[in-house]
Amino acid sequence: PTTPQHPDFVFPATPPGTPQTLVDRLARGWRLLQANDLTAADREFAAVLTASRDFAPARAAAGYTALAQTRASDAVAHFDAASPADRPYAPALVGRGLALLALTREEGALASFEAALAADASIPDLAERVATLRVRVVQDRIGRAERAAAAERWDEARAAYRAAIEASPDAAFLYRDLAAVERRAGRPETALELARAALVYD
């Protein structure tokens, strides 16, 4: 097709030394996927996996096909198999992030996109996607923290603010607000330490 139907999908490049028959079949399946001929694409990727069960590019491609078919949970399973913890594979990590977004699991999606960025910073638009999603995740954590603080659920508020700080460690207002929680929870020494941290950033 002149216009890919799934432009957010990252082509799972093959490593050097891959047999040409697998390279060609993977490329053919990807063209079918981008033409939205999902049944035919699925057949191509399944054939590659039959020939090489642990071939990460084909496993990732199968994940993208499942994602295009709105089978996000199945897609996550494929992407996990393509990119185990000891062998990060950026195309699969991007796909996993997209699938987790479809499942409204934004924090997991952010972690997956960040891992993909660490593995391959050259993927187009990935850094911007990470920055945008990080803002959304931080805002969600702040909202949870504020609701918990208003209800005087100090442990929950503390955990949510700490999670927000983990995602945005140079945001002075987060330290300030967590200091207020610690003060109200009867921990003035911790509150003072956090207030000093806020001053470092602002």
Side-chain angles (χ1 to χ4, degrees):
T2 55
T3 302
Q5 298 301 297
H6 305 283
D8 286 347
F9 294 0
V10 177
F11 177 70
T14 56
T18 301
Q20 192 61 41
T21 53
L22 296 185
V23 173
D24 292 344
R25 195 143 203 181
L26 185 72
R28 184 163 57 248
W30 194 260
R31 288 194 296 273
L32 291 165
L33 169 60
Q34 289 294 354
N36 229 29
D37 190 346
L38 304 180
T39 300
D42 226 2
R43 282 199 303 268
E44 293 294 332
F45 300 142
V48 177
L49 288 170
T50 298
S52 182
R53 181 179 178 83
D54 297 324
F55 188 46
R59 183 66 67 187
Y64 280 115
T65 304
L67 185 56
Q69 294 168 332
T70 68
R71 296 186 291 113
S73 294
D74 292 339
V76 170
H78 281 298
F79 292 130
D80 284 346
S83 184
D86 60 333
R87 295 195 310 277
Y89 181 51
L93 290 166
V94 172
R96 184 175 183 273
L98 293 172
L100 291 173
L101 280 181
L103 295 168
T104 66
R105 293 165 54 187
E106 289 191 340
E107 295 200 8
L110 175 60
S112 195
F113 288 139
E114 287 175 333
L117 188 62
D120 184 358
S122 69
I123 295 174
D125 303 323
L126 183 55
E128 292 80 1
R129 182 186 293 275
V130 166
T132 300
L133 186 55
R134 184 178 290 129
V135 170
R136 283 164 51 186
V137 167
V138 169
Q139 288 174 338
D140 179 67
R141 291 172 178 174
I142 292 170
R144 294 204 309 266
E146 290 175 341
R147 289 190 295 272
E152 298 188 355
R153 298 193 303 270
W154 306 126
D155 288 344
E156 184 181 338
R158 185 180 296 118
Y161 273 123
R162 289 289 184 188
I165 288 170
E166 182 180 350
S168 187
D170 57 352
F173 76 94
L174 294 176
Y175 296 92
R176 179 202 64 200
D177 291 355
L178 179 53
V181 166
E182 296 290 17
R183 180 179 54 79
R184 292 173 61 197
R187 299 174 61 180
E189 291 182 0
T190 303
L192 181 59
E193 180 181 335
L194 287 161
R196 287 173 174 153
L199 289 172
V200 170
Y201 295 106
D202 187 355

